[in-house]
Amino acid sequence: MSQFSRNSLPLQGSKPAPLVPVPLSFDRNWLQDLESRLDKGGPWGDWRLSRLAVQGEETGLITSFDELQCMKHLSGLSPLPHQLDTAHKVLFQMSGRAILADEVGLGKTIEAGLVLKEYLVRGLVSKVLILVPASLVLQWVRELNAKFGISAVAQKKTYSWGSDIVVASMDTAKRDPHKEVLLENEYDMLIIDEAHKLKNKKSTNYLFVQQLRKKYCLLLTATPVQNNLSELFNLITLLKPGQLGNQGDFATNFVVDKRQPKNEIQLRGELSKVMIRNRRGEGPVNFTKRKVRNIPLTLSTEEKVLYDGVTAFVKDQYQESGGNLSSMLSLVTLQREVCSSRDAVFITLVNLIKKLPEDSPKRDRMMGLLQTIRTVKTNTKAEKTLELILEMKEKVIVFTEYRATQEYLLQFFRDHGLMCVSYSGGMNRGKKDWMMDLFRGRAQVMIATEAGGEGINLQFCHHMINFDLPWNPMRVEQRIGRVHRLGQENDVIIYNLSTQGTIEEHILHLLHEKINMFEMVIGGLDVILERFEKTESLEKSLYKIVLESRTDEELRSGLDHIGESISELTEDIQKESEAAT
Amino acid sequence: MTLSPQQVRTQVMNYLEVTECTIIEASPLHVTVKLSPRADRMLTDRPYYWGFVERTGVEPETLSFTFVFDPEKYDSLASGASTQAPNRGTQPGAPSTDPQDSILARYFGVVPTQPWIGPGMIRREDVIYGSKRLLQIWSAARDEGKCLYLFENPGSRQRTTVFSAAYEPWLGVCYKVEMTCDLKREELHFVGISLVTGAIIDDFGTKLTQVELIPRLPENVHIQPLELTVSAGTDRLEAHLTEQLAALDYTWAEEARARLQLELSIIDVYYEELLKEPDEEKRLGIDEQYNRRRKETTWQYEPQVAVSAVTYGLFHLRST
């Protein structure tokens, strides 16, 4: 029998093996393992464990090219239909390179998470880089871990880059020595949040992202176009160069004026190959209502005297300066601060006095104002706010424009036995997080000086009080957006405090009655403002009117004028969008 | 495919049993277990602790867990039975307290899942389909069970018969075939080849489940001499598998190639214009960008098939 030399067994039917029409590779590491164990006589595996391993493989097998697998692996997460649709599109129509441009609050992070999870489950992705603004790093890490069971880590030190799934801030990543490390790597997937920061193709952000080696790529932004269509072009070029032709083609085919597209239908068609934009107004997404309560207040006699004093001072100064607007901004601020708290005026006033030369004639007058501040003993708004909070007995966020007011309120509320925390832009990331946690947990009130722009999600709270109002409607919208977002289960109640007979009253009138911004859910505000602000920012126009008007009448008609032009723009835009769809 | 809580339970219980863990308490909904040193090494990710045990020779203290397979039912029963109310973790495989509450979590976003050490500490974990723990158990099972050397159990009668039974050595491999482009599909092929006759069986996995396999050479049997080396057997298995794969439908690959071509042509057109840049230095930069983008695209779409082995080994089966 064994005279046959080994390996002499003839192959049955020695026809050459047919070819597989794609590159085929066999991994033979196992054979080495087996042979070396045969040499050494073991150790050998357990048959039952082996069967278990095969069963595990069987259950995790991806049996189909085009079926979403990730939902089987996710429990406790029920994405909304539009989020699943988006994930589906990104995977099967866009091949994993897309701009997710849903309007604020529709859950772009969830969509990105779904796509990432799917690729991870399919084993198509293992090395992932997620670049986000610093304030969002921890939130991303948490969401990916908690909602998707994805072990993402926050980048803390250089060695963190070695982890498979890293979340880092764009500002860190693009700097040395990190940049070097990242450019040497290859990423199966790159996700960039707040990608509108990449609109400028000359910026370091842009060049950096362009150099990163990536297979799949998701860009997340709520505002793909902020000022001009070439921003959109740049963003798409970063993702898939050539998708819209080169810059010249794009300009001739699609652009009339830097803000106005032409061949819109065609452009839309091209865009839909790389960009998904779900809107708040459409689809099955139901947002809860916004309920607005305006609370008119009458200043106490002392407060009124102070307000009148400051107003007169501001007007006189403006006349004197001969209408030089820029130097007057701090003075209008003074006027706005009187409506907020005496603490706020006091600090600004003292700072202004410090800057004056010793012998300035203004000095006496400002010192006089300081004396008037001393006479103010109470804060009408603060008392009303306290009353509101005690009445509602629920979590509430109070927004103010001024740090001094924030401090004052913190003290005032604490004196009255309320648990409250503060939140402001100057805090570092850790402190912000800590404050959020406290608010989520124990505190009833959060007093915030900024809406934080991005990243504070306060769905668990549905009362907000505008202690004073920013004059920039986008900032008002940002404030509201903190609580009125996806996941908010209650109607959001917005309290606007306004002191009668002051500029505050007029501004509220403009924002509420004219722009109707508190109830506007459609999210078209940015577009409207963009057009309005072609010539001059709204805030600046307001300042001008306030300073220039001599009587209340003039002030009112000036503001009415702005209100009208805004409502005209709104109508125009509505018409356009109707015509386009 | 997904698994019901019962199926998950079977998988986990199998693992715990094989690795000789001490089951403290078990119900259809959960199991409380003290891990064996072997399982502890595989599951708890404590290399430093085990290094310490090895060097100092102290008695190892393994960790205990309560694995819950059906969290919903388990919780409703637990709250009904007023035992210590376990507060649910927010994710499968999460520690039972809210991970957002600790200082570490505030710094890192989430707490790295380090076990709590100490006797009497039993951590609760929800083990459901998709949870990290289940994946870990499968991968641990594979680590310890991938390479096999087994014999068919001839039963007690063989011992008393006069003639020794002839055993035929088979090389069996469970291949995983991954068909990848910008998307992916997978297949498992458990094939076996007789190293005596060269015969190939496609459904070798099923054949193996029909006999009882033991790790020791039974009495009164003899192994037939090999006519094929293991590596020659591998060649034939691969040729056989290639033949089967060639018979599959490759429309997916054609489509992927078409997508790739389209993407490449878009890139080519775009850069053609830019590459006319007269400034040498700038042009080189653009050229580099162009090549990078082409490479990325090929990486993303290029269809390929990769075959690896999940488990493999020699199986000695009674010749027929």
Side-chain angles (χ1 to χ4, degrees):
Chain A
M1 266 266 288
S2 47
Q3 276 121 323
F4 289 114
S5 63
R6 301 279 180 239
N7 284 334
S8 64
L9 217 61
L11 273 169
Q12 315 98 313
S14 55
K15 59 173 193 267
L19 287 175
V20 175
V22 291
L24 171 68
S25 63
F26 282 94
D27 174 2
R28 275 203 177 188
N29 287 337
W30 66 269
L31 183 58
Q32 284 174 9
D33 181 33
L34 179 61
E35 284 176 332
S36 92
R37 293 199 207 208
L38 282 170
D39 282 348
K40 286 183 270 178
W44 300 108
D46 185 296
W47 173 233
R48 288 170 297 174
L49 287 180
S50 174
R51 290 234 311 249
L52 209 56
V54 172
Q55 283 164 8
E57 286 294 335
E58 273 168 358
T59 49
L61 213 61
I62 312 299
T63 48
S64 144
F65 277 111
D66 47 10
E67 206 176 278
L68 222 47
Q69 310 281 325
C70 60
M71 288 314 293
K72 294 178 217 160
H73 296 261
L74 296 173
S75 59
L77 177 74
S78 25
L80 295 160
H82 77 266
Q83 293 168 338
L84 281 173
D85 278 356
T86 302
H88 208 272
K89 263 193 216 158
V90 171
L91 279 151
F92 304 118
Q93 288 171 27
M94 302 178 166
S95 306
R97 283 200 174 218
I99 298 174
L100 302 181
D102 287 5
E103 283 176 350
V104 178
L106 286 175
K108 287 186 287 293
T109 319
I110 302 283
E111 292 166 0
L114 287 170
V115 173
L116 175 58
K117 182 76 182 179
E118 180 72 24
Y119 279 128
L120 287 170
V121 166
R122 286 179 177 258
L124 282 165
V125 160
S126 57
K127 190 109 179 104
V128 184
L129 178 63
I130 300 169
L131 297 177
V132 308
S135 57
L136 295 183
V137 170
L138 290 190
Q139 196 179 317
W140 266 87
V141 170
R142 264 183 209 156
E143 290 217 358
L144 288 179
N145 277 279
K147 291 188 181 151
F148 295 95
I150 296 174
S151 330
V153 299
Q155 188 270 334
K156 296 279 176 189
K157 293 275 169 0
T158 314
Y159 62 75
S160 311
W161 299 121
S163 307
D164 272 344
I165 302 170
V166 186
V167 184
S169 89
M170 174 68 100
D171 293 326
T172 311
K174 71 176 179 199
R175 278 201 315 259
D176 286 329
H178 308 293
K179 186 178 163 186
E180 298 279 304
V181 182
L182 296 180
L183 290 182
E184 266 169 32
N185 263 311
E186 279 188 344
Y187 289 96
D188 296 322
M189 184 157 205
L190 174 68
I191 298 178
I192 297 180
D193 197 5
E194 306 295 339
H196 47 264
K197 290 178 180 155
L198 298 171
K199 64 191 174 184
N200 180 352
K201 66 175 173 184
K202 298 242 156 44
S203 65
T204 48
N205 283 356
Y206 193 92
L207 295 173
F208 171 61
V209 173
Q210 196 169 44
Q211 284 174 38
L212 281 172
R213 277 176 288 185
K214 57 222 174 263
K215 180 159 67 162
Y216 305 107
C217 181
L218 296 179
L219 303 178
L220 280 57
T221 171
T223 48
V225 185
Q226 273 180 324
N227 294 309
N228 116 32
L229 281 170
S230 70
E231 295 173 5
L232 185 61
F233 177 81
N234 291 340
L235 215 51
I236 290 172
T237 302
L238 195 58
L239 195 70
K240 295 177 101 180
Q243 189 68 32
L244 296 177
N246 57 35
Q247 187 103 45
D249 298 341
F250 178 71
T252 37
N253 290 338
F254 298 119
V255 182
V256 177
D257 154 45
K258 64 177 184 171
R259 281 183 196 170
Q260 221 179 340
K262 66 180 179 189
N263 299 333
E264 271 199 69
I265 293 168
Q266 206 191 334
L267 176 60
R268 204 165 298 220
E270 285 301 318
L271 284 182
S272 70
K273 291 181 194 161
V274 281
M275 183 168 100
I276 301 176
R277 184 158 170 84
N278 295 306
R279 289 175 176 275
R280 284 184 161 212
E282 60 199 25
V285 188
N286 282 321
F287 276 91
T288 57
K289 285 203 196 94
R290 295 178 177 187
K291 290 185 181 160
V292 185
R293 309 252 156 87
N294 289 332
I295 300 176
L297 296 169
T298 316
L299 291 175
S300 68
T301 331
E302 294 83 16
E303 284 171 319
K304 184 70 186 161
V305 170
L306 177 62
Y307 179 79
D308 289 341
V310 170
T311 310
F313 175 68
V314 171
K315 288 268 156 69
D316 291 349
Q317 291 300 313
Y318 183 64
Q319 303 298 343
E320 261 174 51
S321 75
N324 177 353
L325 194 68
S326 54
S327 68
M328 301 305 291
L329 292 183
S330 58
L331 288 180
V332 182
T333 308
L334 212 53
Q335 208 176 353
R336 292 173 62 191
E337 282 169 341
V338 189
C339 305
S340 183
S341 72
R342 57 171 207 151
D343 302 58
V345 213
F346 182 79
I347 287 175
T348 313
L349 209 50
V350 168
N351 285 337
L352 283 175
I353 292 175
K354 274 188 202 153
K355 279 189 214 148
L356 287 175
E358 285 290 338
D359 53 347
S360 166
K362 285 190 225 164
R363 233 185 145 87
D364 280 347
R365 188 147 177 209
M366 287 164 101
M367 289 309 248
L369 286 174
L370 281 183
Q371 289 308 319
T372 326
I373 291 177
R374 295 243 162 83
T375 63
V376 179
K377 296 280 184 257
T378 54
N379 184 324
T380 315
K381 270 184 168 178
E383 275 162 12
K384 184 66 191 176
T385 310
L386 181 68
E387 192 185 317
L388 285 171
I389 295 173
L390 290 175
E391 240 167 60
M392 64 180 87
K393 293 197 183 75
E394 277 180 280
K395 288 203 189 292
V396 56
I397 179 161
V398 179
F399 279 108
T400 171
E401 288 274 278
Y402 311 105
R403 288 294 302 278
T405 307
Q406 184 186 32
E407 291 296 322
Y408 167 75
L409 286 177
L410 207 58
Q411 201 53 50
F412 181 74
F413 290 158
R414 281 191 182 151
D415 289 347
H416 288 82
L418 287 176
M419 283 281 271
C420 49
V421 293
S422 60
Y423 187 98
S424 53
M427 293 175 174
N428 65 26
R429 206 206 286 178
K431 184 155 187 195
K432 280 181 176 168
D433 267 10
W434 174 226
M435 290 299 162
M436 290 263 294
D437 281 0
L438 279 177
F439 184 40
R440 194 183 344 231
R442 280 181 285 176
Q444 187 193 351
V445 188
M446 175 180 257
I447 306 165
T449 47
E450 65 153 350
E454 306 126 355
I456 36 176
N457 300 337
L458 304 169
Q459 294 95 320
F460 53 86
C461 157
H462 63 276
H463 292 279
M464 64 174 277
I465 298 179
N466 286 313
F467 194 80
D468 40 50
L469 278 174
W471 286 12
N472 176 346
M474 274 320 278
R475 299 212 20 235
V476 183
E477 179 58 35
Q478 269 178 0
R479 282 182 174 184
I480 303 172
R482 296 305 108 204
V483 289
H484 191 242
R485 47 176 39 242
L486 220 57
Q488 176 58 266
E489 285 162 8
N490 297 295
D491 288 349
V492 171
I493 306 176
I494 303 162
Y495 300 87
N496 295 312
L497 301 185
S498 87
T499 44
Q500 282 182 307
T502 66
I503 43 174
E504 210 168 53
E505 190 189 1
H506 295 292
I507 297 294
L508 179 62
H509 179 76
L510 175 73
L511 293 178
H512 189 196
E513 308 286 329
K514 296 290 172 186
I515 312 185
N516 194 23
M517 72 155 303
F518 295 104
E519 273 136 343
M520 183 155 64
V521 187
I522 312 126
L525 187 65
D526 42 352
V527 187
I528 296 167
L529 281 179
E530 259 164 41
R531 298 217 183 161
F532 181 86
E533 294 182 346
K534 260 182 192 172
T535 45
E536 193 174 33
S537 85
L538 177 62
E539 224 172 331
K540 213 165 177 192
S541 316
L542 291 177
Y543 274 111
K544 220 185 233 171
I545 290 169
V546 170
L547 284 167
E548 281 171 359
S549 52
R550 253 162 269 142
T551 63
D552 246 22
E553 266 317 299
E554 262 180 57
L555 182 64
R556 188 161 302 147
S557 76
L559 291 176
D560 279 357
H561 182 69
I562 287 186
E564 271 154 30
S565 43
I566 287 180
S567 30
E568 272 168 32
L569 278 175
T570 316
E571 273 173 37
D572 285 354
I573 287 167
Q574 257 164 11
K575 267 185 218 150
E576 276 171 35
S577 70
E578 273 162 29
T581 42
Chain B
M1 196 155 107
T2 173
L3 294 184
S4 70
Q6 280 323 300
Q7 287 166 313
V8 172
R9 181 177 189 277
T10 314
Q11 300 275 316
V12 174
M13 292 307 274
N14 276 343
Y15 180 81
L16 297 178
E17 195 184 312
V18 174
T19 52
E20 292 157 335
C21 297
T22 316
I23 310 285
I24 299 166
E25 188 183 277
S27 80
L29 303 178
H30 83 289
V31 59
T32 300
V33 61
K34 181 169 168 58
L35 297 180
S36 63
R38 178 179 167 195
D40 192 292
R41 277 168 200 265
M42 298 301 282
L43 298 184
T44 61
D45 193 20
R46 304 192 289 169
Y48 294 117
Y49 176 70
W50 284 105
F52 161 76
V53 169
E54 270 158 34
R55 278 187 213 127
T56 59
V58 294
E59 188 68 15
E61 180 67 45
T62 61
L63 302 184
S64 299
F65 289 90
T66 295
F67 295 129
V68 177
F69 305 109
D70 194 336
E72 224 161 277
K73 264 196 206 156
Y74 181 78
D75 284 342
S76 66
L77 278 180
S79 59
S82 80
T83 45
Q84 87 277 27
N87 47 353
R88 284 198 55 192
T90 48
Q91 59 162 110
S96 56
T97 47
D98 187 348
Q100 294 210 351
D101 264 2
S102 76
I103 297 279
L104 276 180
R106 224 160 271 126
Y107 185 68
F108 288 107
V110 283
V111 193
T113 44
Q114 283 301 316
W116 303 336
I117 298 167
M121 278 283 209
I122 298 182
R123 193 163 99 176
R124 171 184 164 162
E125 248 183 58
D126 295 346
V127 180
I128 51 179
Y129 186 69
S131 66
K132 284 180 195 162
R133 185 63 77 188
L134 187 58
L135 292 176
Q136 192 194 24
I137 284 176
W138 277 328
S139 116
R142 185 171 171 257
D143 274 0
E144 288 197 80
K146 62 187 172 193
C147 190
L148 303 161
Y149 196 79
L150 296 166
F151 302 88
E152 180 176 337
N153 187 355
S156 54
R157 240 196 295 164
Q158 178 60 33
R159 236 189 299 171
T160 54
T161 47
V162 181
F163 298 106
S164 125
Y167 267 39
E168 189 176 348
W170 289 77
L171 172 65
V173 184
C174 179
Y175 281 113
K176 182 171 177 179
V177 181
E178 298 171 77
M179 289 167 255
T180 313
C181 51
D182 53 316
L183 292 165
K184 186 176 181 188
R185 193 169 80 81
E186 298 169 336
E187 284 180 0
L188 281 186
H189 292 262
F190 203 150
V191 286
I193 180 167
S194 160
L195 297 179
V196 176
T197 64
I200 290 177
I201 296 182
D202 276 328
D203 205 359
F204 196 60
T206 316
K207 185 180 166 75
L208 290 179
T209 55
Q210 286 157 2
V211 296
E212 193 196 337
L213 292 167
I214 52 174
R216 305 207 144 273
L217 180 68
E219 290 171 51
N220 201 17
V221 303
H222 64 276
I223 309 289
Q224 288 174 289
L226 300 187
E227 293 298 328
L228 279 176
T229 61
V230 170
S231 112
T234 306
D235 289 343
R236 293 196 186 192
L237 279 182
E238 287 181 1
H240 176 76
L241 192 60
T242 308
E243 204 172 312
Q244 285 191 324
L245 293 178
L248 293 175
D249 180 10
Y250 283 89
T251 327
W252 64 270
E254 278 163 39
E255 284 170 1
R257 284 212 178 99
R259 286 198 291 274
L260 175 60
Q261 284 318 315
L262 179 70
E263 294 296 329
L264 287 178
S265 67
I266 288 175
I267 295 167
D268 290 346
V269 170
Y270 178 75
Y271 281 101
E272 195 184 284
E273 194 78 6
L274 292 179
L275 283 170
K276 287 176 188 158
E277 171 71 44
D279 184 322
E280 181 70 10
E281 206 168 303
K282 273 192 199 161
R283 201 176 51 79
L284 282 177
I286 295 170
D287 196 49
E288 192 194 316
Q289 211 185 84
Y290 169 55
N291 288 325
R292 185 168 49 234
R293 183 65 195 117
R294 279 202 79 144
K295 259 191 222 138
E296 273 177 15
T297 311
T298 314
W299 176 25
Q300 186 183 358
Y301 290 95
E302 182 82 318
Q304 51 182 311
V305 177
V307 183
S308 57
V310 181
T311 60
Y312 43 89
L314 290 184
F315 302 86
H316 304 87
L317 307 179
R318 186 194 275 272
S319 356
T320 43

